[in-house]
Amino acid sequence: MDLDTILGKLETGEQELVQKTLTQYNKENSQCFFFSTEQREQRKQHDLAEFRKKKFRDSVPKSFSDYDLEFSKDHDLRLRQKLGEVVVKFLDRDLQPSCQVACLETIRILSRDKYGLSPFTSRSAMHTLAKYAGLDYSDELEVPRIPDSESVVEALKGLCNIVYNSVEAQEVATDLRLVCGLARRLKLYNETRSSHECKFFDLRLLFLLTALRVDVRRQLARELRGISLLTDALESTLALKWSDIYEVVTDRLAPPLGKEETERVMEILKTLFNITFDISRREVDEEDAALYRHLAAILRHCLIRQSDGDDRTEEFHGHTVNLLVNLPLMCLDVLLTPKVELGSVEYMGMNMDTVEVLLQFLDRRLDRGHKLRETLTPVLNLLTESSRVHRETRKFLRAKDINSFQPLQVLPPLRDVKNRPEVGNTLRNKLVRLMTHVDTDVKHCAAEFLFVLCKENVSRFVKYTGYGNAAGLLAVRGLLAGGRGEGHYSEDEDTDTEEYREAKPNINPVTGRVEEKLPNPMDGMTEEQKEYEAMKLVSMFDKLSREQIIQPMGVTSDGRLKPLDEAAQKMIQQQESSDLDSDSD
């Protein structure tokens, strides 16, 4: 049925005919997500063919933006916009529930097209949709009205599309205080029998608003106490039981978390991530610390819990890790404090189940090698900061003995001295490979993690990674000359294996492995020949430097790289200063 015919039938205003017409339109377009794509492609091909046929030297075929402009003005779009206007206006009438659903479903389908949103982004249209979604908030209302569930879901889906695709709609949604209506309804989830879809799209809309609007994010976090509200919703969705103030009862034999529950939990985790992103920059009082510890205990349960299928579990754990990174470090101690039970991983009297899960998660992400900045840096940052603060975690990650209960170790005692540190399939090998990654964030996170596990000791760091791989972090830290970082750690222990002690004199510190001894190219040369070759090399370097192909660098006394002339000058000044101090003594 064409749009002109549909509009003609809607103009009659007969409710039964309108419902029948829209129901048919909705059925025909239920899987339509891109309007007029074929027409746009045909138009591009036609123009290009005309251009080639006429061979106008001074003409250029239309750019993609020109086609987008044409598309925004085409007749079909105007008809869809007209249909949207008529349907929104029709919703202001007293309609039967089935007719309401048909109208709202039409709006949901039309709102998929970001070019045709104008009928839905006005304040009156957004208010109408908010009313049908049960989010018509006002200060006088104690509890938001909850209309028919099917209408609510369709209205929420339409609002999600509109808010996602339109900045103007985001501003209107903020003015209408939709977040307040969502927060009020969130409080009622345990008291009402809302459907999964209603709860899910409530949470999806809340996520979108907090992701796209900083002011809504701040309003939910502070004015509406969103962290506490969403934590309660998370606890309710997971149906948790507590054995202690910060310890959730975890049944290892329990079935995986259901698909619907997992979907809602992930929306909650994403929204919590949005409103906790700046916690580390603020002062945390005792009340907030208790709330974050409570949340961290729930997130520990999330890490240990499985979902329906490996991919969904991976996504579920990914959102959990992202949120854990936002929480204050002082509140992450609850990850290690649960009692050690049968089947738990124990180390130094601590429950290491969470760390073990994080290690496995890290290993899987390393093997995937896809979108490393988004997928890998959160878990690396979490393990790094946990290792910096918690001695037990750091020692567990580099445990001295290879135990059957811990197949994954990051820095076990070094025995393989024949291969480069970046060669192989161990966690250490994979992380060292990342230390020279093209993405600066990925490179820095991997290096920082290993550096912390080495207690920020430069010689130990070089031992495990090779000086060539370590140079980047050491240069940034001003540690190229050796020494320690600024972290405070316990006294160093002797971790050298017998294999390492025997091979140590023959290990090339740059590559981090035992190199085969190569013949000396200067064997058999006279002193004059050696001097000639040395001066020839100096001349070549000088030429490359003068032509600015390379820039010779030197390491200053503070362990940083400087151009060679600056480094030499600084060394001379420091030496002169030292001589003056000696004379005065």
Side-chain angles (χ1 to χ4, degrees), residues 186-436:
L186 200 57
K187 295 176 184 177
L188 304 175
Y189 275 7
N190 291 334
E191 303 171 17
T192 59
R193 295 183 178 181
S194 301
S195 66
H196 159 69
E197 279 199 314
C198 182
K199 291 180 178 180
F200 174 80
F201 284 104
D202 270 356
L203 294 167
R204 171 60 60 86
L205 182 57
L206 193 60
F207 162 70
L208 289 172
L209 288 170
T210 54
L212 298 169
R213 296 284 299 191
V214 175
D215 50 351
V216 174
R217 198 181 303 162
R218 192 178 299 116
Q219 181 184 11
L220 179 61
R222 300 177 186 178
E223 178 186 328
L224 301 172
R225 301 187 61 81
I227 298 175
S228 177
L229 190 63
L230 287 163
T231 300
D232 289 344
L234 183 62
E235 186 175 346
S236 172
T237 307
L238 292 166
L240 299 183
K241 296 179 181 178
W242 297 82
S243 61
D244 205 343
I245 183 171
Y246 296 129
E247 185 173 349
V248 177
V249 175
T250 302
D251 182 2
R252 296 177 181 276
L253 301 178
L257 192 64
K259 180 182 177 181
E260 292 183 350
E261 289 78 9
T262 304
E263 288 177 345
R264 297 203 302 273
V265 165
M266 289 195 293
E267 293 302 314
I268 294 171
L269 294 175
K270 285 153 55 179
T271 307
L272 277 168
F273 175 84
N274 289 342
I275 64 176
T276 58
F277 79 103
D278 63 343
I279 283 177
S280 58
R281 305 174 201 166
R282 304 200 309 258
E283 290 291 329
V284 178
D285 58 27
E286 290 186 12
E287 183 181 353
D288 286 339
L291 173 60
Y292 299 143
R293 280 195 169 91
H294 182 76
L295 176 56
I298 298 175
L299 296 180
R300 179 188 182 276
H301 173 82
C302 290
L303 281 176
I304 295 172
R305 192 77 188 269
Q306 298 292 307
S307 182
D308 60 323
D310 292 341
D311 289 342
R312 193 170 292 273
T313 298
E314 187 80 6
E315 185 181 2
F316 173 33
H317 287 174
H319 291 307
T320 304
V321 169
N322 291 344
L323 179 53
L324 277 168
V325 173
N326 282 358
L327 299 186
L329 278 173
M330 59 179 286
C331 300
L332 297 185
D333 54 352
V334 300
L335 300 179
L336 305 178
T337 53
K339 302 179 188 68
V340 177
E341 301 173 343
L342 184 64
S344 297
V345 178
E346 179 185 0
Y347 188 78
M348 297 178 67
M350 292 288 190
N351 188 318
M352 290 291 168
D353 287 345
T354 307
V355 182
E356 182 75 5
V357 170
L358 289 172
L359 264 184
Q360 294 170 354
F361 180 81
L362 170 64
D363 194 44
R364 289 193 300 271
R365 290 286 169 101
L366 284 167
D367 288 340
R368 289 188 177 188
H370 179 61
K371 293 183 178 179
L372 290 180
R373 178 185 291 186
E374 294 84 354
T375 62
L376 199 61
T377 53
V379 66
L380 278 175
N381 284 330
L382 180 59
L383 285 169
T384 299
E385 297 308 318
S386 297
S387 301
R388 201 190 305 272
V389 175
H390 299 118
R391 175 173 173 263
E392 296 83 3
T393 300
R394 185 176 66 254
K395 290 181 72 69
F396 176 76
L397 292 174
R398 56 190 311 271
K400 289 184 178 180
D401 300 312
I402 300 179
N403 302 305
S404 58
F405 67 77
Q406 191 194 349
L408 290 173
Q409 292 174 300
V410 182
L411 290 182
L414 190 57
R415 291 183 170 86
D416 180 10
V417 292
K418 295 182 179 179
N419 295 308
R420 290 174 178 264
E422 65 269 25
V423 175
N425 292 314
T426 67
L427 267 175
R428 175 178 75 107
N429 302 143
K430 296 173 186 177
L431 289 167
V432 172
R433 282 198 289 273
L434 290 182
M435 291 172 65
T436 52

Side-chain angles (χ1 to χ4, degrees), residues 68-223:
D68 287 341
L69 185 60
E70 277 190 37
F71 169 61
S72 69
K73 297 178 180 178
D74 70 13
H75 178 66
D76 191 48
L77 175 62
R78 288 195 295 272
L79 289 177
R80 287 199 306 277
Q81 290 174 332
K82 178 65 175 176
L83 176 60
E85 292 169 3
V86 172
V87 172
V88 169
K89 191 173 181 180
F90 203 71
L91 280 171
D92 289 332
R93 294 173 52 177
D94 185 17
L95 303 176
Q96 293 294 323
S98 56
C99 191
Q100 292 176 6
V101 172
C103 292
L104 291 167
E105 189 176 350
T106 300
I107 290 176
R108 170 172 61 84
I109 292 170
L110 293 173
S111 63
R112 294 168 180 168
D113 179 15
K114 65 180 180 180
Y115 296 100
L117 291 177
S118 57
F120 314 123
T121 56
S122 66
R123 186 179 181 88
S124 60
M126 290 284 287
H127 183 266
T128 297
L129 289 173
K131 179 180 65 176
Y132 277 98
L135 303 177
D136 183 14
Y137 176 84
S138 69
D139 292 333
E140 291 77 19
L141 284 173
E142 180 114 0
V143 176
R145 182 174 67 87
I146 301 180
D148 177 73
S149 178
E150 197 173 355
S151 296
V152 169
V153 172
E154 286 300 330
L156 284 170
K157 288 178 180 178
L159 283 170
C160 286
N161 287 345
I162 296 164
V163 168
Y164 177 72
N165 285 314
S166 169
V167 174
E168 182 182 350
Q170 294 160 22
E171 294 174 355
V172 174
T174 304
D175 292 340
L176 291 174
R177 306 191 73 187
L178 294 192
V179 66
C180 296
L182 288 165
R184 283 193 172 185
R185 194 148 75 201
L186 200 57
K187 295 176 184 177
L188 304 175
Y189 275 7
N190 291 334
E191 303 171 17
T192 59
R193 295 183 178 181
S194 301
S195 66
H196 159 69
E197 279 199 314
C198 182
K199 291 180 178 180
F200 174 80
F201 284 104
D202 270 356
L203 294 167
R204 171 60 60 86
L205 182 57
L206 193 60
F207 162 70
L208 289 172
L209 288 170
T210 54
L212 298 169
R213 296 284 299 191
V214 175
D215 50 351
V216 174
R217 198 181 303 162
R218 192 178 299 116
Q219 181 184 11
L220 179 61
R222 300 177 186 178
E223 178 186 328

